Short mmCIF file of all heavy atoms in Angstrom, two decimals:
data_model
loop_
_atom_site.label_atom_id
_atom_site.label_comp_id
_atom_site.label_asym_id
_atom_site.label_seq_id
_atom_site.Cartn_x
_atom_site.Cartn_y
_atom_site.Cartn_z
N ILE A 30 54.62 122.58 -68.08
CA ILE A 30 54.18 123.97 -68.00
C ILE A 30 54.95 124.84 -68.98
O ILE A 30 54.40 125.73 -69.61
CB ILE A 30 54.37 124.50 -66.56
CG1 ILE A 30 53.36 123.84 -65.63
CG2 ILE A 30 54.20 126.03 -66.52
CD1 ILE A 30 51.92 124.21 -65.88
N GLU A 31 56.25 124.56 -69.13
CA GLU A 31 57.08 125.38 -70.01
C GLU A 31 56.81 125.11 -71.48
O GLU A 31 57.20 125.89 -72.34
CB GLU A 31 58.55 125.11 -69.70
CG GLU A 31 58.98 125.68 -68.35
CD GLU A 31 60.33 125.13 -67.89
OE1 GLU A 31 60.92 124.34 -68.66
OE2 GLU A 31 60.76 125.48 -66.78
N ASP A 32 56.15 123.99 -71.76
CA ASP A 32 55.78 123.69 -73.14
C ASP A 32 54.64 124.62 -73.53
O ASP A 32 53.54 124.55 -72.97
CB ASP A 32 55.35 122.23 -73.24
CG ASP A 32 55.08 121.81 -74.67
OD1 ASP A 32 55.05 122.68 -75.55
OD2 ASP A 32 54.90 120.60 -74.89
N SER A 33 54.88 125.47 -74.47
CA SER A 33 53.88 126.49 -74.81
C SER A 33 52.88 126.03 -75.85
O SER A 33 52.06 126.81 -76.31
CB SER A 33 54.58 127.76 -75.32
OG SER A 33 55.36 127.44 -76.47
N SER A 34 52.93 124.75 -76.23
CA SER A 34 52.00 124.27 -77.25
C SER A 34 50.58 124.24 -76.70
O SER A 34 50.37 124.04 -75.51
CB SER A 34 52.41 122.88 -77.71
OG SER A 34 52.15 121.93 -76.68
N PRO A 35 49.56 124.40 -77.55
CA PRO A 35 48.17 124.33 -77.08
C PRO A 35 47.84 122.99 -76.44
O PRO A 35 47.02 122.92 -75.54
CB PRO A 35 47.36 124.54 -78.37
CG PRO A 35 48.29 125.26 -79.29
CD PRO A 35 49.66 124.74 -78.97
N GLU A 36 48.49 121.92 -76.88
CA GLU A 36 48.19 120.61 -76.33
C GLU A 36 48.51 120.53 -74.84
O GLU A 36 47.80 119.90 -74.07
CB GLU A 36 48.97 119.52 -77.09
CG GLU A 36 48.51 119.29 -78.52
CD GLU A 36 49.03 120.35 -79.48
OE1 GLU A 36 49.88 121.17 -79.06
OE2 GLU A 36 48.59 120.37 -80.63
N ALA A 37 49.60 121.17 -74.41
CA ALA A 37 49.98 121.13 -73.01
C ALA A 37 48.96 121.84 -72.14
O ALA A 37 48.53 121.33 -71.10
CB ALA A 37 51.36 121.77 -72.83
N SER A 38 48.53 123.02 -72.54
CA SER A 38 47.52 123.76 -71.79
C SER A 38 46.20 123.01 -71.78
O SER A 38 45.49 122.98 -70.77
CB SER A 38 47.33 125.15 -72.39
OG SER A 38 48.51 125.91 -72.32
N GLN A 39 45.85 122.42 -72.90
CA GLN A 39 44.58 121.70 -72.99
C GLN A 39 44.56 120.49 -72.07
O GLN A 39 43.54 120.17 -71.46
CB GLN A 39 44.34 121.27 -74.43
CG GLN A 39 42.99 120.62 -74.65
CD GLN A 39 42.72 120.33 -76.12
OE1 GLN A 39 43.49 120.73 -76.98
NE2 GLN A 39 41.64 119.63 -76.39
N LEU A 40 45.70 119.82 -71.92
CA LEU A 40 45.78 118.66 -71.05
C LEU A 40 45.46 119.03 -69.61
O LEU A 40 44.69 118.34 -68.93
CB LEU A 40 47.18 118.04 -71.14
CG LEU A 40 47.44 116.81 -70.28
CD1 LEU A 40 46.57 115.64 -70.75
CD2 LEU A 40 48.92 116.43 -70.34
N VAL A 41 46.04 120.13 -69.14
CA VAL A 41 45.79 120.58 -67.76
C VAL A 41 44.33 121.00 -67.60
O VAL A 41 43.65 120.62 -66.65
CB VAL A 41 46.72 121.76 -67.41
CG1 VAL A 41 46.40 122.29 -66.02
CG2 VAL A 41 48.17 121.32 -67.48
N GLY A 42 43.82 121.78 -68.56
CA GLY A 42 42.45 122.27 -68.46
C GLY A 42 41.41 121.18 -68.51
O GLY A 42 40.44 121.19 -67.76
N GLU A 43 41.62 120.18 -69.37
CA GLU A 43 40.64 119.10 -69.49
C GLU A 43 40.57 118.26 -68.22
O GLU A 43 39.49 117.83 -67.81
CB GLU A 43 41.00 118.21 -70.68
CG GLU A 43 40.69 118.83 -72.03
CD GLU A 43 41.10 117.93 -73.18
OE1 GLU A 43 41.79 116.91 -72.92
OE2 GLU A 43 40.74 118.25 -74.33
N GLY A 44 41.71 118.02 -67.60
CA GLY A 44 41.71 117.24 -66.36
C GLY A 44 40.96 117.95 -65.26
O GLY A 44 40.16 117.33 -64.53
N LEU A 45 41.19 119.25 -65.12
CA LEU A 45 40.46 120.03 -64.11
C LEU A 45 38.97 120.06 -64.44
O LEU A 45 38.13 119.91 -63.55
CB LEU A 45 41.02 121.45 -64.05
CG LEU A 45 42.40 121.63 -63.42
CD1 LEU A 45 42.91 123.04 -63.65
CD2 LEU A 45 42.35 121.32 -61.93
N ALA A 46 38.64 120.26 -65.70
CA ALA A 46 37.24 120.37 -66.11
C ALA A 46 36.48 119.09 -65.82
O ALA A 46 35.33 119.12 -65.35
CB ALA A 46 37.14 120.73 -67.59
N ARG A 47 37.10 117.94 -66.10
CA ARG A 47 36.41 116.66 -65.86
C ARG A 47 36.08 116.49 -64.39
O ARG A 47 34.98 116.06 -64.03
CB ARG A 47 37.27 115.50 -66.36
CG ARG A 47 37.24 115.29 -67.85
CD ARG A 47 37.85 113.95 -68.24
NE ARG A 47 39.25 113.87 -67.85
CZ ARG A 47 40.26 114.24 -68.63
NH1 ARG A 47 40.01 114.73 -69.84
NH2 ARG A 47 41.51 114.12 -68.22
N ASP A 48 37.03 116.80 -63.52
CA ASP A 48 36.78 116.59 -62.10
C ASP A 48 35.79 117.61 -61.55
O ASP A 48 34.94 117.27 -60.73
CB ASP A 48 38.09 116.66 -61.31
CG ASP A 48 37.94 116.10 -59.91
OD1 ASP A 48 37.64 114.89 -59.79
OD2 ASP A 48 38.07 116.86 -58.94
N VAL A 49 35.89 118.86 -61.99
CA VAL A 49 34.95 119.89 -61.55
C VAL A 49 33.53 119.52 -61.98
O VAL A 49 32.57 119.64 -61.21
CB VAL A 49 35.34 121.27 -62.10
CG1 VAL A 49 34.21 122.28 -61.91
CG2 VAL A 49 36.60 121.78 -61.42
N ALA A 50 33.37 119.03 -63.21
CA ALA A 50 32.05 118.62 -63.70
C ALA A 50 31.50 117.47 -62.87
O ALA A 50 30.30 117.43 -62.54
CB ALA A 50 32.15 118.22 -65.17
N LYS A 51 32.34 116.52 -62.51
CA LYS A 51 31.91 115.38 -61.71
C LYS A 51 31.43 115.83 -60.33
O LYS A 51 30.39 115.39 -59.83
CB LYS A 51 33.07 114.40 -61.55
CG LYS A 51 32.73 113.12 -60.81
CD LYS A 51 33.97 112.30 -60.50
CE LYS A 51 34.74 111.95 -61.74
NZ LYS A 51 35.94 111.13 -61.44
N ARG A 52 32.17 116.75 -59.71
CA ARG A 52 31.79 117.24 -58.38
C ARG A 52 30.53 118.10 -58.45
O ARG A 52 29.70 118.08 -57.53
CB ARG A 52 32.93 118.06 -57.76
CG ARG A 52 34.27 117.36 -57.72
CD ARG A 52 34.25 116.13 -56.86
NE ARG A 52 35.53 115.42 -56.93
CZ ARG A 52 35.79 114.28 -56.33
NH1 ARG A 52 34.84 113.67 -55.63
NH2 ARG A 52 36.97 113.69 -56.45
N LEU A 53 30.39 118.85 -59.53
CA LEU A 53 29.20 119.69 -59.70
C LEU A 53 27.95 118.81 -59.80
O LEU A 53 26.92 119.08 -59.17
CB LEU A 53 29.35 120.55 -60.94
CG LEU A 53 28.31 121.66 -61.17
CD1 LEU A 53 28.45 122.74 -60.11
CD2 LEU A 53 28.48 122.26 -62.56
N ASP A 54 28.03 117.73 -60.56
CA ASP A 54 26.90 116.81 -60.70
C ASP A 54 26.58 116.12 -59.39
O ASP A 54 25.41 115.92 -59.04
CB ASP A 54 27.20 115.77 -61.78
CG ASP A 54 27.03 116.32 -63.19
OD1 ASP A 54 26.59 117.47 -63.32
OD2 ASP A 54 27.35 115.59 -64.15
N ALA A 55 27.62 115.72 -58.66
CA ALA A 55 27.40 115.03 -57.38
C ALA A 55 26.65 115.92 -56.41
O ALA A 55 25.77 115.45 -55.66
CB ALA A 55 28.74 114.61 -56.77
N ALA A 56 26.94 117.21 -56.41
CA ALA A 56 26.24 118.13 -55.53
C ALA A 56 24.83 118.40 -56.02
O ALA A 56 23.87 118.42 -55.24
CB ALA A 56 27.02 119.45 -55.42
N TYR A 57 24.66 118.58 -57.33
CA TYR A 57 23.35 118.93 -57.89
C TYR A 57 22.34 117.81 -57.68
O TYR A 57 21.20 118.05 -57.31
CB TYR A 57 23.48 119.25 -59.37
CG TYR A 57 22.19 119.71 -60.02
CD1 TYR A 57 21.83 121.04 -60.03
CD2 TYR A 57 21.32 118.80 -60.62
CE1 TYR A 57 20.65 121.47 -60.61
CE2 TYR A 57 20.14 119.21 -61.21
CZ TYR A 57 19.80 120.54 -61.20
OH TYR A 57 18.63 120.96 -61.76
N PHE A 58 22.74 116.57 -57.92
CA PHE A 58 21.81 115.45 -57.81
C PHE A 58 21.83 114.82 -56.41
O PHE A 58 21.14 113.82 -56.19
CB PHE A 58 22.14 114.38 -58.86
CG PHE A 58 21.90 114.84 -60.27
CD1 PHE A 58 22.97 115.09 -61.12
CD2 PHE A 58 20.62 115.06 -60.74
CE1 PHE A 58 22.76 115.52 -62.42
CE2 PHE A 58 20.39 115.50 -62.03
CZ PHE A 58 21.47 115.73 -62.88
N GLY A 59 22.57 115.41 -55.50
CA GLY A 59 22.66 114.87 -54.15
C GLY A 59 21.78 115.61 -53.15
O GLY A 59 20.82 116.29 -53.52
N VAL A 60 22.12 115.47 -51.89
CA VAL A 60 21.40 116.12 -50.80
C VAL A 60 22.34 117.11 -50.13
O VAL A 60 23.49 117.25 -50.52
CB VAL A 60 20.88 115.08 -49.78
CG1 VAL A 60 19.86 114.17 -50.42
CG2 VAL A 60 22.03 114.26 -49.22
N SER A 61 21.84 117.79 -49.10
CA SER A 61 22.65 118.78 -48.41
C SER A 61 23.89 118.13 -47.81
O SER A 61 23.83 117.05 -47.23
CB SER A 61 21.83 119.45 -47.30
OG SER A 61 20.71 120.11 -47.84
N ALA A 62 25.02 118.81 -47.96
CA ALA A 62 26.28 118.34 -47.38
C ALA A 62 27.11 119.56 -47.03
O ALA A 62 26.83 120.68 -47.48
CB ALA A 62 27.02 117.43 -48.35
N ALA A 63 28.12 119.35 -46.21
CA ALA A 63 28.96 120.46 -45.77
C ALA A 63 29.65 121.13 -46.95
O ALA A 63 30.18 120.46 -47.83
CB ALA A 63 30.00 119.95 -44.77
N ASN A 64 29.60 122.46 -46.97
CA ASN A 64 30.30 123.29 -47.95
C ASN A 64 29.80 123.13 -49.38
O ASN A 64 30.49 123.51 -50.32
CB ASN A 64 31.81 123.00 -47.91
CG ASN A 64 32.42 123.21 -46.54
OD1 ASN A 64 32.10 124.18 -45.86
ND2 ASN A 64 33.28 122.30 -46.13
N THR A 65 28.62 122.55 -49.56
CA THR A 65 28.06 122.40 -50.90
C THR A 65 26.70 123.08 -51.00
O THR A 65 26.01 123.24 -49.99
CB THR A 65 27.89 120.91 -51.28
OG1 THR A 65 26.86 120.33 -50.47
CG2 THR A 65 29.19 120.14 -51.09
N PRO A 66 26.28 123.44 -52.19
CA PRO A 66 24.90 123.94 -52.36
C PRO A 66 23.91 122.81 -52.08
O PRO A 66 24.25 121.63 -52.20
CB PRO A 66 24.85 124.36 -53.83
CG PRO A 66 26.28 124.40 -54.30
CD PRO A 66 27.03 123.43 -53.45
N ASN A 67 22.70 123.17 -51.72
CA ASN A 67 21.66 122.17 -51.50
C ASN A 67 21.24 121.58 -52.85
O ASN A 67 20.80 122.29 -53.74
CB ASN A 67 20.45 122.78 -50.81
CG ASN A 67 20.74 123.15 -49.37
OD1 ASN A 67 21.61 122.56 -48.72
ND2 ASN A 67 20.03 124.13 -48.84
N GLY A 68 21.40 120.25 -52.97
CA GLY A 68 21.08 119.59 -54.21
C GLY A 68 19.60 119.31 -54.36
O GLY A 68 18.79 119.56 -53.46
#
């Protein structure tokens, strides 16, 4: 976190983005589930 280089921030952001994208797709192409939009 203390490393102010762009690479450090990008590492954190890319990891979050990959998982968020995966969960978004699972909900969109899925069926109704608790706490998710209707797919």
